[in-house]
Amino acid sequence: QPDFLLARVYLAMGHLRKGEFGDAYQHFKFLLPLTDNSKMKAISYNAMGCIHVQNQNLEQAFEYFQKAYHTDPTFMEPLINLDES
């Protein structure tokens, strides 16, 4: 079921965990316009920021960490990532 968003999040996380950053990024990017869930959006933005860190794109990573935090301020991981970048 391609419209089952939680499954797509897990698929994206699986790609991320395996180091398949391009595939993971595409799935997280695909998710963003499909959900109104702020936690899911924040997770996607944060993961995209982590992928940019891996690719040495620190300015873009910083922007995604900020988007993640502003989308869901209760999600603390982007703050940790902002502090580390």
Side-chain angles (χ1 to χ4, degrees):
Q1 293 185 342
D3 293 338
F4 185 47
L5 298 183
L6 186 58
R8 189 166 298 268
V9 168
Y10 283 115
L11 177 61
M13 288 294 200
H15 283 298
L16 185 63
R17 183 101 168 118
K18 289 175 61 179
E20 298 168 350
F21 301 124
D23 290 333
Y25 192 89
Q26 291 305 315
H27 285 289
F28 285 120
K29 186 176 177 181
F30 180 82
L31 276 166
L32 290 170
L34 299 178
T35 184
D36 293 327
N37 182 300
S38 60
K39 181 69 78 184
M40 195 172 291
K41 281 185 182 273
I43 288 168
S44 295
Y45 283 134
N46 187 68
M48 292 167 76
C50 291
I51 292 167
H52 278 290
V53 167
Q54 290 294 319
N55 293 327
Q56 303 296 313
N57 300 325
L58 300 183
E59 282 185 38
Q60 190 68 42
F62 185 79
E63 289 178 27
Y64 277 110
F65 294 144
Q66 284 184 318
K67 283 182 181 184
Y69 175 70
H70 290 298
T71 300
D72 185 355
T74 66
F75 184 45
M76 300 307 293
E77 192 169 333
L79 282 180
I80 295 166
N81 292 330
L82 280 168
D83 191 43
E84 292 176 0
S85 31

